[in-house]
Amino acid sequence: MGVPADLTIRSAGEALRSGELTAAQLLESVLNQAARTEAELHAYLTIDHDGARTAAAAADAAFEKGEDLGPLQGIPIGVKDNMVTDGVETTAGSQVLAGYVPPYDATAVAKLRSAGAVIVGKTNLDEFAMGSSTENSSFGPTRNPWDTERVPGGSSGGSAASVAARSAIAAIGSDTGGSIRQPAALCGVVGMKPTYGLVSRYGLIAFASSLDQIGPFGVTVDDTVTVLEAIAGHDPMDATSFNGPVPAFRTDLDRGVEDVRIGVVPELSGEGIDPDVRQAFERTVDALQGAGAVISEVSLPSSSYALSCYYLIAPAECSANLARFDGVRYGNRVDGSTVEEMMGRTRRAGLGPEVTRRVLLGTYALSAGYYDAFYGQAQRVRTLVARDFATAYESVDVLISPTSPTTAFELGARTQDPLSMYMSDVCTIPSNLAGEPSISVPIATDGSRLPIGFQIMAPALGEQMLFRVASAVEHLAGFEALSAEKVGA
Amino acid sequence: MPIDIDIAYVARLARIDLSPEELVRFGGQLGVILEHAAKVQELPTDDIPPTSHPLAMVNAFRADEVRPSLDRSVVLGQAPATEDGYIRVPPALET
Amino acid sequence: MSYEAVIGIETHVELKTRSKMFCGCSTEFGGEPNTHTCPVCLGLPGALPVPNRQAIDWIIEIGLALNSTIAEWSVFHRKNYFYADMPKNYQISQFDIPICTNGHLVVDVEGEQSRIGVTRVHMEEDTGKSTHMGGDGRIQSADYTLLDFNRAGVPLVEIVSEPDLRSPAQARAYVQELRDIVAALGVSDAKLEEGSMRFDANISLRPAGDDEFGVKVEVKNMNSFRSLERALTFEIERQTKALEAGDAVAQETRHWDEAAGVTHSMRSKEESSDYRYFTEPDLVPMEISAEWRDRIKAALPELPAQQRARYVEMGVDSVTATTLVDGGLGKLFEDAVAAGGSARTVSIWLTGEVTAYLRREEIEIGDTPLTGAALAELSGLVDAGEVSSSAAKPVLEGVLAGEGSPKEVAVARDLVQMKDTEALGAIVDSVLADHPDEAARLRDGDMKVVGYLMGQVMKASRGKADPKLANTMLRERA
């Protein structure tokens, strides 16, 4: 079998059911991998050894009784630390919540548990999910398993790195402007953002409510689908949760791309894209064409405004979402002689610079006299972005672009210039604004052996087509994932 | 041109006690970021309605049913300061 | 120069849903602090609101009762400001698309009716409760504050009037009518003492006849209808004095001090009004169909105004009708009339003797055995002359005290009117004989002594003489 931590959900599931492996053994393999790699990678903020072992034992007991909860039974999964876990510290990567233990589980986490998954621990992230490199974590950055001098991407850098490094078989993260897809691309794994509303946000510590979505990471597209199947579905605790029928995600996974109409978005695939990335992207486009897809160029004119639009809407919503962190009811309070002083000091001490920047920015964009020109205008531009997508999907089934303009950059390379960091999200942001699903599939490595990701976007609830094309890309690219032994060697 | 903002006012609205040095630093950074964000103003949007929800859903309600509350020990256990079942904070300046 | 007061009132009504506006915590009043809270109403990280459908039904009902236009499409907004009793440091409220707009109600002040506009009725959530400790209990001198979040998230309806009110009495009548309407709908306890109904007022003065508004002063902390009236009266006096002295009235918020009978200026808030409203992204819009609205409209109970009008048509004067409705005596009244009682007589008994009795004994009407049938019976006895109209009062008291039916009480208390003409005649003769001078004057046609002589007859008969008969006899036998 090799190292169990190298298994996919699918192959692990087969081994668990054939008796070749127990869930406890699988977990130990993953925990050993974490023990080997964490000192360098710091993908996790908390590893819940006891909780995970208990869950693995329960999964084994269920297997013995002949109970089959589904493909995630006994599978070690990482959870981004901005999703609350009952009884397990949840920090959102922030000092204001250091030591905070939530009294309830996020719905997505509860669903994983009901499916028999083994929650290994909480993965590192940019503070409150704000960032594109995980360098904004107030507990120290995560390093890229492919090159530990480089970032794993962000904000779900820990989840992406843990899957790439095999210290988790799969993971879940959150994506507001690309925070699943971009780290997936930089870490050479599959990462996907579902249609807005498909996965409950209850228990996801809110960054930008109308953009945030929880989504899966996996080594394969198939694994990613498996995780999504477990966490998707209507939740009465989330009023923005989609209440219609959940698409059948995997139906067309092996159907290939014959006659599928694929649109290349020039605004996201040309200027500013690294030559190696562009080359790998174009090779894959050719391969898709060779496999029978109909390729065309489809413009999304307002996508060049998407970044500006996002950097008004997201901060505005986050400025209100983070107002609750005031030291009154929970969190790390810094005292004051008045409650106003207490709140002001608590927030100054507890919120990091990037978070502070965005809260201030959002507050400004909403303030009297500036609302119309900034936030109000951004909301209208958002409509234009959504309309561009709608028009595009009249002539194509999916849209494609590179996931990230570059491969993993060095730690510290962009931390001095917020704007340069924001540019990391230029390809991923548009589908968040439109609330539509998109996925990153690893296709190649560049000259420095750094992974390159391929982004596919589909219309709302178009996950079936999305995964179909993703699966085809995966087969055509033949990308080789890291193996457990090679990581940290 | 970076946009000039009253950063002290914004910080007060956001209840973050920034030092004078931080005010200058953040004020400058925000001015630069806003200059780029202001790009949205280039697009004509006169008859375009704003999007506040990506999903076209309406009327998501719940029934008027009582569900169990958190045990008070849990609530008070999370709070930095409590007294006699209440959560305690310093006195307010404003009403 | 004479000034005209221009008053607007902002009323908050807590809905008596079983659970809170955005979560399933109980809204029950008076529990131990922080025992009705959950991640949602505490603003814990990751929590999300889901609106209570019953609250929406009820705000639509309130809007319809106030003759408002119900929006076909409405949304929630976030109202952003920091305050320790607001768990999220924003309140989920409504900004520019409230559920109800453009309503009105009619207030009656001593017979004079005026139409008061209701600008809007919108949905929001209540905050937690702050108790300021140390010092003299007032916020300005507190040492620290204790917070109870049981109330945080209770559904709150805000009703904003147009500045159509012109006197403290009218303002009082307005809030009382609002309270009666809300109570009649059964959507709120509307108890000022429990805080399930609260109001603030805005008042400005302008020279009589002017169109432009003067400087607006907000007045808070009026905890009863009476204090509303007193506070506004004080403000009119204070502002009038200032204007007459040539001083400007400051635009500010003032706090009513019930004990001292004055308003105090509150520390002015600098950034008080930059609430940075934006559409609540955690909630989806509400689409209120015509069917939904009409279903609620069809189920509206009778409103106080309609009830009062109906009583007036039955022969009751409008002030008495108002008292019947306000005092919850309507059902008794209607039952009595249905059982054959005289509307006028019964209504006067209810608003007079019965109300006085309840107040004296400090009980509610439901605590007495009085029924509409009993009232009808007594009314019949009076009409038949078996009980005099003045004896009706003690009989009524007896019935309220549980001594039995009106007939039984009249007999037991010896209040049955004397009908025996022979016995009465004997008493009349005896009174005339005892008062020869008065008798002589009566013989001569002096009607003025009749009253005195009647009194003697009533005394001698221990109140049981039939006054009409006694009167006739006196004049015949003088």
Side-chain angles (χ1 to χ4, degrees):
Chain A
M1 183 198 306
V3 181
D6 279 329
L7 297 174
T8 59
I9 298 176
R10 181 172 289 277
S11 55
E14 284 162 15
L16 288 167
R17 282 163 183 79
S18 71
E20 214 183 323
L21 191 65
T22 64
Q25 287 166 337
L26 178 57
L27 174 63
E28 287 315 309
S29 178
V30 167
L31 288 176
N32 286 340
Q33 185 65 0
R36 260 179 14 91
T37 58
E38 271 297 281
E40 214 183 352
L41 296 182
H42 191 226
Y44 283 94
L45 291 175
T46 300
I47 294 183
D48 182 17
H49 293 94
D50 289 344
R53 286 184 174 129
T54 306
D60 280 330
F63 274 127
E64 266 158 54
K65 275 195 244 145
E67 279 164 21
D68 198 328
L69 296 167
L72 287 184
Q73 184 169 343
I75 305 295
I77 308 269
V79 172
K80 185 177 182 180
D81 203 23
N82 63 352
M83 293 176 233
V84 293
T85 40
D86 193 349
V88 176
E89 183 179 357
T90 302
T91 66
S94 179
Q95 288 303 312
V96 82
L97 286 179
Y100 174 70
V101 179
Y104 74 108
D105 266 343
T107 298
V109 172
K111 287 184 137 183
L112 288 175
R113 291 199 214 272
S114 314
V118 175
I119 310 290
V120 177
K122 311 304 291 298
T123 58
N124 199 12
L125 68 161
D126 283 298
E127 189 181 355
F128 286 111
M130 300 182 203
S132 310
S133 66
T134 310
E135 293 172 287
N136 291 329
S137 168
S138 75
F139 300 102
T142 295
R143 290 164 185 274
N144 194 316
W146 292 77
D147 179 343
T148 56
E149 294 308 308
R150 294 176 182 265
V151 302
S155 60
S156 313
S159 281
S162 68
V163 175
R166 311 316 203 119
S167 48
I169 302 294
I172 55 174
S174 71
D175 189 311
T176 304
S179 289
I180 288 176
R181 292 161 286 154
Q182 185 255 20
L186 269 50
C187 287
V189 296
V190 180
M192 182 262 177
K193 179 198 85 67
T195 302
Y196 183 88
L198 214 49
V199 178
S200 168
R201 289 185 302 116
Y202 188 71
L204 172 66
I205 300 177
F207 161 18
S209 316
S210 74
L211 299 163
D212 294 344
Q213 267 297 276
I214 293 174
F217 285 95
V219 173
T220 60
V221 172
D222 175 51
D223 276 7
T224 307
V225 173
T226 302
V227 176
L228 185 63
E229 284 169 335
I231 60 177
H234 179 247
D235 183 10
M237 298 298 280
D238 175 356
T240 60
S241 170
F242 176 66
N243 62 3
V246 173
F249 305 130
R250 67 170 66 243
T251 315
D252 289 344
L253 223 46
D254 299 321
R255 202 166 149 195
V257 289
E258 181 110 24
D259 297 328
V260 174
R261 301 166 303 159
I262 299 181
V264 177
V265 182
E267 292 88 359
L268 306 180
S269 317
E271 196 188 300
I273 306 292
D274 221 51
D276 278 2
V277 172
R278 170 124 37 91
Q279 216 177 77
F281 175 74
E282 282 167 2
R283 264 200 325 267
T284 307
V285 173
D286 290 340
L288 282 168
Q289 192 166 54
V294 179
I295 311 289
S296 58
E297 208 178 70
V298 180
S299 175
L300 294 176
S302 42
S303 60
S304 47
Y305 294 90
L307 200 67
S308 323
C309 180
Y310 174 83
Y311 278 101
L312 287 171
I313 294 177
E317 293 183 0
C318 99
S319 69
N321 286 328
L322 268 65
R324 66 190 63 196
F325 301 107
D326 59 5
V328 172
R329 292 140 287 118
Y330 52 85
N332 294 305
R333 182 192 287 192
V334 176
D335 250 307
S337 51
T338 64
V339 72
E340 290 86 358
E341 201 175 64
M342 181 272 276
M343 288 185 181
R345 288 182 181 176
T346 294
R347 291 162 66 74
R348 173 165 179 240
L351 304 177
E354 182 60 34
V355 170
T356 301
R357 251 191 302 277
R358 297 197 196 195
V359 167
L360 292 173
L361 185 52
T363 304
Y364 176 84
L366 290 171
S367 63
Y370 299 105
Y371 179 99
D372 275 331
F374 290 100
Y375 182 75
Q377 177 68 358
Q379 291 283 55
R380 290 188 287 271
V381 168
R382 185 174 183 175
T383 304
L384 291 176
V385 170
R387 284 184 184 181
D388 277 0
F389 272 104
T391 306
Y393 289 126
E394 282 168 12
S395 59
V396 296
D397 299 309
V398 297
L399 293 165
I400 56 174
S401 78
T403 306
S404 163
T406 67
T407 55
F409 43 92
E410 281 171 11
L411 286 152
R414 298 188 184 182
T415 48
Q416 298 312 303
D417 180 9
L419 278 178
S420 70
M421 188 69 85
Y422 298 164
M423 287 304 293
S424 317
D425 296 331
V426 72
C427 304
T428 48
I429 278 176
S431 52
N432 294 90
L433 289 172
E436 293 172 348
S438 51
I439 189 170
S440 179
V441 180
I443 50 172
T445 50
D446 72 358
S448 309
R449 215 183 139 250
L450 297 168
I452 295 168
F454 187 93
Q455 177 176 239
I456 305 153
M457 297 172 271
L461 301 172
E463 273 83 351
Q464 208 173 82
M465 175 61 77
L466 185 79
F467 286 123
R468 174 179 171 186
V469 177
S471 183
V473 166
E474 180 180 58
H475 288 132
L476 290 167
F479 180 83
E480 197 181 311
L482 286 176
S483 69
E485 274 163 2
K486 293 227 186 93
V487 179
Chain B
M1 268 281 299
I3 294 179
D4 196 20
I5 53 179
D6 184 353
I7 189 70
Y9 172 69
V10 175
R12 270 202 310 278
L13 273 185
R15 271 284 187 280
I16 307 178
D17 276 359
L18 297 176
S19 70
E21 183 269 332
E22 283 167 334
L23 285 172
V24 169
R25 183 164 27 102
F26 282 121
Q29 288 172 342
L30 248 59
V32 171
I33 296 169
L34 272 169
E35 183 193 357
H36 285 267
K39 196 171 173 219
V40 292
Q41 290 157 8
E42 288 170 19
L43 280 179
T45 56
D46 281 335
D47 292 319
I48 312 294
T51 296
S52 39
H53 298 96
L55 266 190
M57 260 174 58
V58 293
N59 294 349
F61 298 119
R62 41 170 269 274
D64 186 25
E65 279 159 11
V66 175
R67 310 282 297 278
S69 293
L70 283 174
D71 207 83
R72 184 160 75 177
S73 60
V74 172
V75 177
L76 298 179
Q78 303 212 313
T82 64
E83 183 177 293
D84 291 338
Y86 293 88
I87 292 178
R88 182 183 160 137
V89 292
L93 198 61
E94 292 173 10
T95 40
Chain C
M1 166 101 79
S2 85
Y3 291 98
E4 173 183 61
V6 174
I7 301 165
I9 307 241
E10 208 175 273
T11 309
H12 283 94
V13 171
E14 269 183 11
L15 297 183
K16 63 178 194 190
T17 50
R18 285 189 289 267
S19 62
K20 293 187 179 182
M21 185 65 213
F22 296 113
C23 68
C25 288
S26 164
T27 56
E28 212 179 296
F29 180 78
E32 283 293 298
N34 294 308
T35 51
H36 298 148
T37 64
C38 75
V40 178
C41 57
L42 272 178
L44 296 193
L48 292 174
V50 183
N52 186 328
R53 169 71 190 245
Q54 177 73 274
I56 305 300
D57 280 343
W58 283 357
I59 187 178
I60 295 172
E61 207 178 326
I62 293 173
L64 290 171
L66 294 176
N67 306 293
S68 316
T69 304
I70 307 299
E72 284 170 6
W73 193 88
S74 181
V75 291
F76 286 101
H77 278 82
R78 290 189 185 177
K79 180 180 182 181
N80 299 283
Y81 62 103
F82 283 81
Y83 205 69
D85 65 15
M86 277 218 316
K88 302 184 290 294
N89 286 314
Y90 60 84
Q91 182 193 36
I92 300 179
S93 177
Q94 295 199 287
F95 181 49
D96 54 355
I97 316 178
I99 292 176
C100 320
T101 50
N102 213 21
H104 68 269
L105 55 74
V106 175
V107 302
D108 185 316
V109 179
E110 284 166 18
E112 219 183 286
Q113 302 207 321
S114 7
R115 188 179 138 129
I116 308 299
V118 173
T119 318
R120 53 187 279 150
V121 182
H122 78 244
M123 197 74 242
E124 57 185 38
E125 52 175 348
D126 211 342
T127 64
K129 267 211 208 113
S130 296
T131 308
H132 305 292
M133 306 293 287
D136 60 13
R138 278 175 64 217
I139 191 174
Q140 283 87 343
S141 58
D143 287 336
Y144 60 97
T145 302
L146 295 181
L147 301 166
D148 173 14
F149 292 99
N150 283 354
R151 195 182 69 180
V154 168
L156 206 57
V157 167
E158 180 171 322
I159 304 168
V160 180
S161 82
E162 292 283 337
D164 289 345
L165 300 161
R166 294 286 173 269
S167 73
Q170 206 179 51
R172 178 178 180 157
Y174 167 80
V175 290
Q176 283 180 312
E177 181 70 4
L178 260 189
R179 197 270 313 265
D180 288 349
I181 288 173
V182 152
L185 294 177
V187 301
S188 172
D189 290 331
K191 285 190 186 157
L192 299 182
E193 65 275 20
E194 282 180 4
S196 45
M197 179 164 166
R198 331 200 268 261
F199 38 71
D200 299 322
N202 289 303
I203 177 167
S204 63
L205 298 189
R206 63 186 176 194
D210 256 27
D211 268 336
E212 274 183 38
F213 290 120
V215 173
K216 194 166 69 171
V217 172
E218 189 187 13
V219 184
K220 295 172 101 85
N221 198 45
M222 299 158 294
N223 298 326
S224 67
F225 297 131
R226 187 169 159 267
S227 61
L228 171 68
E229 205 174 347
R230 287 182 71 209
L232 290 174
T233 305
F234 173 83
E235 266 303 297
I236 291 172
E237 236 178 78
R238 182 189 75 85
Q239 292 188 26
T240 305
K241 272 198 209 119
L243 291 171
E244 280 174 352
D247 295 331
V249 172
Q251 179 170 0
E252 59 181 351
T253 300
R254 297 180 73 87
H255 183 102
W256 170 247
D257 182 338
E258 179 71 29
V262 299
T263 60
H264 300 289
S265 178
M266 283 164 86
R267 199 191 319 256
S268 63
K269 291 180 274 187
E270 310 152 40
E271 295 93 24
S272 49
S273 27
D274 199 346
Y275 294 123
R276 290 158 277 136
Y277 285 100
F278 66 100
T279 310
E280 171 57 83
D282 286 334
L283 298 174
V284 295
M286 293 170 281
E287 215 173 65
I288 302 169
S289 64
E291 288 77 40
W292 184 357
R293 189 193 63 223
D294 290 343
R295 198 181 345 119
I296 295 180
K297 190 158 189 187
L300 275 177
E302 187 184 41
L303 297 176
Q306 297 160 315
Q307 199 182 7
R308 284 194 297 267
R310 199 156 51 81
Y311 293 171
V312 165
E313 235 156 88
M314 284 160 83
V316 175
D317 73 85
S318 69
V319 175
T320 307
T322 303
T323 313
L324 282 176
V325 172
D326 283 354
L329 300 167
K331 181 156 196 317
L332 267 179
F333 168 71
E334 291 179 41
D335 287 349
V337 172
S342 144
R344 234 188 83 76
T345 311
V346 167
S347 66
I348 288 171
W349 285 339
L350 280 170
T351 59
E353 276 79 53
V354 174
T355 299
Y357 178 85
L358 296 177
R359 207 176 288 142
R360 241 180 3 253
E361 303 294 315
E362 290 181 356
I363 54 178
E364 310 267 320
I365 189 63
D367 301 328
T368 73
L370 185 64
T371 62
L375 286 166
E377 186 190 320
L378 183 56
S379 174
L381 290 175
V382 169
D383 282 346
E386 284 191 46
V387 171
S388 73
S389 49
S390 55
K393 178 177 171 190
V395 171
L396 203 39
E397 241 179 67
V399 175
L400 284 163
E403 292 166 21
S405 74
K407 187 72 186 267
E408 288 164 359
V409 172
V411 168
R413 289 194 182 199
D414 195 24
L415 291 169
V416 180
Q417 206 153 237
M418 184 183 288
K419 294 283 218 185
D420 183 349
T421 44
E422 221 180 275
L424 184 54
I427 292 177
V428 168
D429 290 338
S430 140
V431 164
L432 287 169
D434 287 341
H435 300 86
D437 296 324
E438 287 78 6
R441 279 155 71 187
L442 185 54
R443 264 196 304 276
D444 288 340
D446 183 355
M447 287 297 125
K448 285 191 232 130
V449 300
V450 171
Y452 174 75
L453 289 170
M454 275 290 293
Q456 296 306 304
V457 169
M458 294 310 276
K459 206 162 109 189
S461 71
R462 289 193 311 283
K464 297 197 305 195
D466 178 345
K468 259 169 57 190
L469 199 48
N471 194 312
T472 311
M473 282 189 174
L474 276 171
R475 278 186 270 157
E476 280 173 0
R477 298 176 184 220

